Amino acid sequence: MDKIKLTNHLKDIELKNKMFRLIDKANVCLKNYEIKNTEFMNPYEIKNAKDILNSEINIKYHSDGGYEKAERSIISIFPFYVDYEDIDSPIRFIQIEGNFKFRSISHKDYLGSILGLGIKREKIGDLLIHDEFCQVVVSSDICDYIVLNLTKVATNKVKVREIKRDELLPSEKKYKEISFTISSNRLDCVISGIYNMSRQDSLKYINAERVSVNYEKISSASKVVNAGDLISVRGKGRAEVIEIGEETKKGRLKTKVRILL
């Protein structure tokens, strides 16, 4: 598979490098008939990866995030004559338990404690957060390491154990709903409204390539934002646009978003 030809349309260097690694794995599969797994990818990366893999008829692939509607998934690439059910799963599952009655523990706390063990973000899938525990989808090769070494989340002592796939419990996302008005539905205007910052500051985040819309990195402030879009600003968090509605008397657009907590 030709890496340059298959990724020529991609402008994001980070995404292009990930697709290079994907194609390298696919070529090893084609040459040596080996089963290869990617690291965890977000939905936009998964979409690009599938488009590339669909160009080769002599391999098959399967994406798995552990449960239906998982955000982050691993892609397994294998020879055309192999069935996915016959290969070892590239993911495992852990549950982090502790006494969290006196302090609310967030997604950031759990993820930060895991990454603090020296583990790359790409080795970690979704975190399903509940009141007294958190379930995490992880790459198979680092599961035992986390179970043995994760002893604290924030200042709380925790116990970690491996669980089975059918023990995963979906969690409801917590969010804060806010409303504001904007002069237009350009990305810089929407970011300014969500995070209560100036247009100039929102441009700094966009120009620094710290902003994504629906997981795609965006470098244009003039990108049009629509209802249903998921906006991520690195260092600030994520927000889902619920509505960009009617104009006010002053010609501004009424906007409603959910900031994910």
Side-chain angles (χ1 to χ4, degrees):
M1 299 176 71
D2 188 330
K3 287 196 289 190
I4 303 302
K5 182 179 178 180
L6 289 169
T7 62
N8 192 47
H9 62 290
L10 300 177
K11 306 303 180 186
D12 180 354
I13 298 301
E14 185 179 344
L15 176 62
K16 180 171 286 195
N17 287 334
K18 286 187 177 183
M19 296 304 105
F20 278 179
R21 294 194 289 272
L22 171 90
I23 296 167
D24 285 340
K25 291 178 184 291
N27 283 333
V28 170
C29 177
L30 285 166
K31 182 179 179 180
N32 301 331
Y33 305 102
E34 293 181 23
I35 297 164
K36 305 297 288 186
N37 299 304
T38 69
E39 295 181 324
F40 282 97
M41 296 182 179
N42 68 40
Y44 183 68
E45 293 164 345
I46 290 285
K47 177 185 179 299
N48 279 275
K50 288 182 176 180
D51 288 344
I52 289 171
L53 293 172
N54 284 336
S55 69
E56 176 53 62
I57 63 172
N58 290 313
I59 56 174
K60 293 196 294 189
Y61 64 87
H62 181 86
S63 62
D64 189 1
Y67 65 102
E68 190 177 358
K69 295 183 179 180
E71 180 177 305
R72 297 170 63 83
S73 297
I74 280 178
I75 294 181
S76 296
I77 306 166
F78 44 96
F80 66 92
Y81 54 82
V82 173
D83 291 325
Y84 180 70
E85 293 73 16
D86 296 329
I87 68 178
D88 293 334
S89 175
I91 59 176
R92 290 161 69 183
F93 314 92
I94 61 172
Q95 183 159 305
I96 305 169
E97 303 166 349
N99 183 359
F100 305 125
K101 292 181 180 179
F102 303 106
R103 179 181 172 182
S104 176
I105 303 298
S106 68
H107 183 283
K108 184 178 180 180
D109 293 321
Y110 282 113
L111 183 59
S113 296
I114 295 172
L115 300 185
L117 298 176
I119 294 170
K120 295 194 305 180
R121 180 65 180 97
E122 289 79 11
K123 292 287 186 181
I124 308 298
D126 286 8
L127 283 71
L128 305 175
I129 299 173
H130 301 271
D131 290 338
E132 297 182 0
F133 61 91
C134 173
Q135 297 175 327
V136 190
V137 185
V138 301
S139 181
S140 293
D141 58 335
I142 50 90
C143 180
D144 293 336
Y145 179 80
I146 297 176
V147 170
L148 289 172
N149 290 282
L150 184 62
T151 58
K152 277 189 174 183
V153 171
T155 58
N156 298 75
K157 291 184 178 180
V158 295
K159 293 182 178 179
V160 185
R161 62 186 177 90
E162 184 173 1
I163 59 174
K164 297 178 180 179
R165 184 187 294 260
D166 59 12
E167 294 181 74
L168 286 180
L169 299 172
S171 60
E172 289 187 12
K173 292 180 179 178
K174 296 181 180 180
Y175 59 85
K176 176 177 70 174
E177 193 170 294
I178 62 171
S179 299
F180 51 88
T181 63
I182 51 179
S183 58
S184 81
N185 59 345
R186 286 169 47 113
L187 180 59
D188 56 344
C189 296
V190 177
I191 290 175
S192 297
I194 294 172
Y195 299 106
N196 193 26
M197 65 172 72
S198 68
R199 289 273 294 278
Q200 186 176 7
D201 284 341
S202 67
L203 280 171
K204 289 179 182 178
Y205 280 96
I206 295 169
N207 292 335
E209 297 188 339
R210 298 177 66 178
V211 177
S212 298
V213 178
N214 299 325
Y215 306 97
E216 179 183 1
K217 193 180 294 181
I218 302 297
S219 57
S220 171
S222 62
K223 178 177 173 60
V224 172
V225 175
N226 299 300
D229 284 347
L230 180 67
I231 296 174
S232 174
V233 179
R234 195 183 309 163
K236 302 291 288 185
R238 300 196 296 176
E240 180 186 351
V241 180
I242 303 172
E243 179 183 356
I244 298 180
E246 59 189 32
E247 289 188 7
T248 66
K249 292 180 179 179
K250 294 183 178 181
R252 296 176 65 84
L253 299 173
K254 295 179 180 178
T255 306
K256 187 183 296 184
V257 303
R258 294 173 177 167
I259 298 177
L260 301 178
L261 303 176

